[in-house]
Amino acid sequence: MSLRRLYEVARQELRFHARRPLVWIWILLLVFLAWGISQGDVQVVDSGDSATGGAKNWLTSEFSQSIYASIFFLMIYGFFAAVVTGMSVLRDSEAGIDALLHSTQLRPSEYVWGKWLAALVAFAFIAAIHVGASIAFNHSVVDANVRESIGPFELAAYLRPVLFFGVPSLVAIAGVSFALGTLLRRPILVFFLPVALLLVCAFFLWAWNPTWLSSRWDRVLMLCDPAGYRWLKRTWIDVDRGVEFYNHSRVAFDAGFLASRAAWVALGVSAVAFTQWRFALSLRGHVAHAAAVRAAPLAAASAPPSDIRGLGMTSESHGWLANALEAARIEWHELRSSPGLYLFVPLIVLQIAGNSVYAVGAFETPILATSGLVASRSVGLIATLVVMLLLFYSVESLERERASGLDGIHRSTPLSPSALLCGKALANSAVAIAVLVAAFLACAGVILFKGK
């Protein structure tokens, strides 16, 4: 691996990110968020009673900043990082730049690691701006109403939460998104990964804590949380230790938590290493597959005739309805073979079922699952998840021909745009109906299960 070529790839990628509107929108969002938090409208550590003139929790304490970092790095950084890293190689492939790998001395390892490291440098720069804005708003531009909630400036109170809570989750999401975008070439998986991860964390890892859950399994869920919020909340926040403790103490990390953070970082780096290995195998002339070598004589013997008329290709125009149904059939075939549906639809069903199975009322007593109660608890969740799933897959459907390189052939067919759009809408509607049917069966199963 040449460090000079690696540096050049990273430098060109950084130049692209510096001119990218998505990155500047990300920065503006974080700066605005830092300003909003400095106004004292959000209180993340609830300790004591400051309404009666007692001591107030500091927004600048390490515990408050740790909660901010654990949530925001997964919720905001995770989505933008997934888009930036997951679409990096796909962007070059659609522009035809990846063909340079076949005609230059640039190696796959230099190309892959250069792009991913450039993204990490960009993320570090964005995080530095975010931390700098938080420090400036908290300690320089302070409203008189929240001055009592601002403690003395300590740089470690801002840097330690970013290092221990933000960086591991960011590296893991960036590595896995890079692998999904490069190897599977499915933008839907890249876009949906941070959303699915956030839903699992918000509705399960962070909020689910029944009374019958043993401490051992509670510990397992703490270590499985990529954000680290559950560990922080269950270890330090749930048992009130007083305002003075949260304002002046450091967050003490145990060995299990540190091992968990290291594991998330290793996951991201390992995903990139696996991507580099698979990407090298896919390049022509770099490493040949044994199966392709064995199949070469057979492919040569069965080569198509040089005269294109021997292919028997014809073109004829059908009615609008027949064209729309044919477009729907082809689109449904593509959607049916999409691995994302087999991953995210079960997650949606599990989330809907779990939201009703483990519902408790006053004094942690189980709630009787009736059809009306299950429907009222699930309708909002079903609508949100199904609409988001349709949004992602509809956009991918509209970009399918261009991304696969078949847009030239597609334009030469007598298929009208209205029939094509109608067919794609029908296929995506069939996906929504399938998800709703699965959700209905899950809700019916919950009623039968809890009704016994």
Side-chain angles (χ1 to χ4, degrees):
M1 179 185 295
S2 172
L3 294 180
R4 182 177 62 84
R5 291 193 293 265
L6 176 69
Y7 168 77
E8 186 62 25
V9 172
R11 187 179 69 86
Q12 293 295 333
E13 190 73 5
L14 280 173
R15 289 183 59 185
F16 172 78
H17 291 323
R19 301 189 302 266
R20 198 172 187 181
L22 175 70
V23 173
W24 290 104
I25 293 175
W26 184 3
I27 293 175
L28 290 177
L29 177 62
L30 292 176
V31 171
F32 180 77
L33 184 64
W35 174 81
I37 292 176
S38 68
Q39 302 306 303
D41 296 330
V42 180
Q43 183 175 344
V44 294
V45 179
D46 188 11
S47 177
D49 188 4
S50 58
T52 58
K56 293 186 177 182
N57 295 301
W58 290 345
L59 299 174
T60 59
S61 68
E62 186 171 320
F63 278 93
S64 296
Q65 292 300 318
S66 296
I67 295 179
Y68 293 141
S70 62
I71 296 177
F72 292 154
F73 267 80
L74 184 68
M75 180 173 63
I76 300 178
Y77 281 79
F79 177 78
F80 285 96
V83 175
V84 169
T85 56
M87 301 299 295
S88 179
V89 177
L90 276 176
R91 185 184 69 248
D92 288 351
S93 178
E94 293 178 359
I97 300 177
D98 56 344
L100 294 176
L101 290 172
H102 304 296
S103 59
T104 67
Q105 296 181 351
L106 183 64
R107 297 180 178 179
S109 58
E110 300 160 353
Y111 176 74
V112 169
W113 286 104
K115 280 186 164 294
W116 192 68
L117 291 176
L120 290 187
V121 173
F123 299 159
F125 176 75
I126 294 171
I129 294 179
H130 182 201
V131 172
S134 299
I135 294 174
F137 287 130
N138 289 337
H139 299 278
S140 299
V141 187
V142 182
D143 190 89
N145 297 328
V146 297
R147 191 172 299 276
E148 296 182 4
S149 300
I150 304 298
F153 170 68
E154 292 186 14
L155 185 60
Y158 292 91
L159 296 183
R160 279 167 53 90
V162 171
L163 178 62
F164 289 100
F165 291 94
V167 171
S169 60
L170 184 61
V171 172
I173 294 175
V176 175
S177 300
F178 189 83
L180 291 176
T182 303
L183 300 180
L184 301 181
R185 305 299 176 102
R186 296 277 186 172
I188 176 63
L189 297 179
V190 175
F191 299 149
F192 206 79
L193 172 66
V195 177
L197 191 60
L198 179 61
L199 291 175
V200 170
C201 290
F203 292 102
F204 177 63
L205 291 177
W206 297 349
W208 187 62
N209 185 32
T211 55
W212 50 263
L213 185 67
S214 66
S215 59
R216 178 178 299 179
W217 283 108
D218 187 32
R219 178 71 173 174
V220 171
L221 294 179
M222 293 181 198
L223 302 182
C224 290
D225 180 13
Y229 175 76
R230 185 184 181 96
W231 175 87
L232 181 65
K233 185 174 182 295
R234 297 286 295 153
T235 306
W236 297 105
I237 307 299
D238 283 352
V239 178
D240 192 354
R241 300 170 186 267
V243 176
E244 293 298 322
F245 174 84
Y246 293 120
N247 287 346
H248 298 91
S249 301
R250 299 286 188 197
V251 179
F253 307 110
D254 54 48
F257 177 78
L258 295 177
S260 172
R261 310 316 288 165
W264 284 108
V265 173
L267 174 63
V269 176
S270 301
V272 179
F274 178 76
T275 302
Q276 180 248 311
W277 174 68
R278 292 293 302 173
F279 185 75
L281 291 178
S282 66
L283 289 180
R284 181 186 63 198
H286 186 74
V287 177
H289 291 282
V293 173
R294 291 193 299 267
L298 181 61
S302 59
S306 57
D307 189 357
I308 194 172
R309 290 175 298 179
L311 297 177
M313 299 176 64
T314 60
S315 176
E316 58 180 315
S317 178
H318 296 280
W320 185 91
L321 181 60
N323 289 336
L325 294 177
E326 182 64 18
R329 185 187 67 82
I330 296 175
E331 188 66 27
W332 170 253
H333 177 76
E334 292 294 328
L335 291 172
R336 187 182 60 185
S337 60
S338 175
L341 288 178
Y342 299 98
L343 174 63
F344 298 123
V345 171
L347 288 177
I348 293 175
V349 173
L350 288 175
Q351 183 61 50
I352 294 171
N355 191 41
S356 300
V357 168
Y358 301 108
V360 293
F363 308 107
E364 297 292 331
T365 57
I367 298 179
L368 179 63
T370 62
S371 58
L373 180 63
V374 173
S376 63
R377 292 182 62 89
S378 304
V379 61
L381 189 61
I382 292 175
T384 302
L385 297 179
V386 172
V387 167
M388 294 179 68
L389 188 68
L390 282 180
L391 174 65
F392 291 133
Y393 273 100
S394 297
V395 173
E396 186 188 39
S397 297
L398 297 175
E399 292 289 321
R400 192 182 308 282
E401 286 78 16
R402 184 182 66 85
S404 59
L406 297 177
D407 51 343
I409 299 177
H410 166 259
R411 295 192 188 99
S412 64
T413 62
L415 180 65
S416 64
S418 59
L420 174 67
L421 294 177
C422 182
K424 289 180 177 290
L426 288 175
N428 283 279
S429 299
V431 172
I433 293 174
V435 176
L436 292 177
V437 169
F440 170 77
L441 295 177
C443 293
V446 169
I447 296 174
L448 295 175
F449 174 76
K450 296 196 70 175
K452 293 182 178 180

